[in-house]
Amino acid sequence: MSDAQAPTLYEWVGGLEVLDRLTVRFYERVRDDAVLAPIFAAMPVDHPHHVALFLAEVLGGPSTYSEQFGGHAHMVARHLSRHL
């Protein structure tokens, strides 16, 4: 990043390490919530990291999520297919 260029939101929040910690903590709290816990009961252990990668990309970070998982459109289609 040059001095003249504003940081991306990804850089501003602290990068992937911070997003990983944030999503892990969020999903820990979800598991403790009586209403949300059943919805996420079958959540894979790596789900928080996938969410962190998605957020990183949306906030202007690396395109790792799209490269590894096919991007937002693929994610939406995958989730919809589970509920149809």
Side-chain angles (χ1 to χ4, degrees):
M1 178 178 73
S2 71
D3 292 334
Q5 187 178 28
T8 64
L9 289 174
Y10 172 77
E11 294 166 328
W12 184 81
V13 300
L16 185 58
E17 182 179 328
V18 171
L19 292 170
D20 267 326
R21 287 196 320 260
L22 175 70
T23 55
V24 165
R25 182 66 182 125
F26 173 80
Y27 285 108
E28 286 171 352
R29 299 288 306 265
V30 164
R31 285 191 287 267
D32 294 337
D33 186 275
V35 174
L36 296 176
I39 297 168
F40 291 90
M43 177 180 62
V45 68
D46 57 353
H47 182 74
H49 181 64
H50 290 185
V51 174
L53 290 173
F54 176 78
L55 290 173
E57 189 168 327
V58 168
L59 296 174
S63 59
T64 308
Y65 183 85
S66 289
E67 293 165 4
Q68 290 183 2
F69 305 108
H72 181 260
H74 186 262
M75 181 261 305
V76 170
R78 187 173 62 246
H79 284 282
L80 286 176
S81 69
R82 292 180 189 162
H83 302 287
L84 294 178

